[in-house]
Amino acid sequence: MSSKTNSEEYLRIPPWLRVKLPTGNTFNNTAKLLADLNLNTVCQNAKCPNCWDCFSRKVATFLIMGNNCTRNCAFCNIAAGRIDPLDPDEPRRVSEAVGRLDLKYTVITSVTRDDLPDGGAAHYAETIERIRHDHPGCMIEVLIPDFQGNLDALKAVINAGPDVINHNVETSPDLYGTIRPQADYRQSLELLERVKQLSSIHAKSGLMVGLGETDEQVYGVIDDLAGINCDIITIGQYMRPSKAHPAVKRYVEPAVFDEYAEYGRKLGVPHMFCAPLVRSSFNAAEAFEKLKEV
């Protein structure tokens, strides 16, 4: 008899989550370009299941300010470890990658840097401004940490003028104690609300399912995000990066993701992007285009 006692270990990955690897050289060319520029991506560091797809389309989500995090969220594959000083040349290299990949829409995220007084907001602003200068036609989305509620830090990012500010709530507030113990759900909602109050920049947020939440709790998060006029909500399936991470509690059927999307639309959310393989940065340009059609 198996020594396993946790039935969660027996959940098999359903067929709708199996990813076909693309053929061709574009994936390797994208990976080499990023390596040559010494740039990190969340695609690689977080083991995103869409990495093959995105790199094969010459798309990547840049991960700035290092590859180690000052937090240790249970779901995340980005390591907590030695924190390096900020690299002043990084904004230039990100901008160069934008040009070499011929990106018309770029997404920039970061590790959380609670060690910095502004959480790295000035570095975000410099990166946005460098891309604006070098590639004025490129749309820019940033996926930012909570900056520990620092309003001045958020204003620095807002003033740099990205097109979309994304901040993920990640899961139901009832699970924060185990999944995001160093974060605060209400603080994350407040950040998104401030984006809407202080600017005309589009606000975006996302969450995962399969961490132990109920559908009712998912609907509750959608309620909260709709209540602060969030423009884009993404919902995708949590997939366990390794055996050191929390086990998947359930695999949500594709039809249920459609129900989440319909629920949000009925509440007036301009764009709901909900499917098993959805990640907050996946097909971000297409989601933004859908938003402009509303």
Side-chain angles (χ1 to χ4, degrees), residues 114-241:
D114 290 334
D115 60 305
L116 301 172
D118 70 345
H123 198 74
Y124 264 107
E126 185 178 349
T127 305
I128 295 165
E129 290 162 357
R130 181 62 188 249
I131 295 169
R132 282 273 183 253
H133 177 270
D134 295 347
H135 314 286
C138 184
M139 309 295 284
I140 301 172
E141 177 175 320
V142 290
L143 171 54
I144 62 174
D146 60 25
F147 299 133
Q148 296 181 299
N150 184 333
L151 178 58
D152 289 336
L154 177 60
K155 285 180 176 178
V157 175
I158 289 173
N159 291 339
D163 299 283
V164 177
I165 292 181
N166 185 0
H167 174 70
N168 289 331
V169 293
E170 304 290 10
T171 189
S172 160
D174 302 293
L175 297 180
Y176 265 52
T178 55
I179 301 301
R180 300 192 74 203
Q182 295 160 289
D184 183 293
Y185 179 76
R186 292 295 160 189
Q187 183 170 267
S188 289
L189 288 179
E190 181 180 60
L191 180 151
L192 292 161
E193 187 172 29
R194 284 172 166 175
V195 170
K196 298 297 295 182
Q197 291 172 340
L198 297 174
S199 74
S200 59
I201 296 169
H202 297 292
K204 178 178 178 180
S205 191
L207 64 151
M208 301 165 290
V209 291
L211 283 162
E213 76 298 319
T214 64
D215 285 335
E216 289 72 21
Q217 289 171 327
V218 174
Y219 291 133
V221 175
I222 298 172
D223 286 335
D224 290 340
L225 292 172
I228 52 118
N229 298 314
C230 192
D231 297 294
I232 304 173
I233 299 176
T234 63
I235 305 178
Q237 172 70 52
Y238 165 67
M239 296 176 70
R240 192 183 195 187

Side-chain angles (χ1 to χ4, degrees), residues 40-43 46 60-66 78 90 94 106-112 123-124 127 141-145 166 168 280-281:
N40 296 305
T41 68
V42 74
C43 321
T61 296
F62 301 105
L63 181 72
I64 62 174
M65 297 194 283
I78 295 175
E90 186 173 53
V94 171
T106 189
V107 184
I108 303 156
T109 189
S110 72
V111 294
T112 300
H123 198 74
Y124 264 107
T127 305
E141 177 175 320
V142 290
L143 171 54
I144 62 174
N166 185 0
N168 289 331
S280 60
S281 302

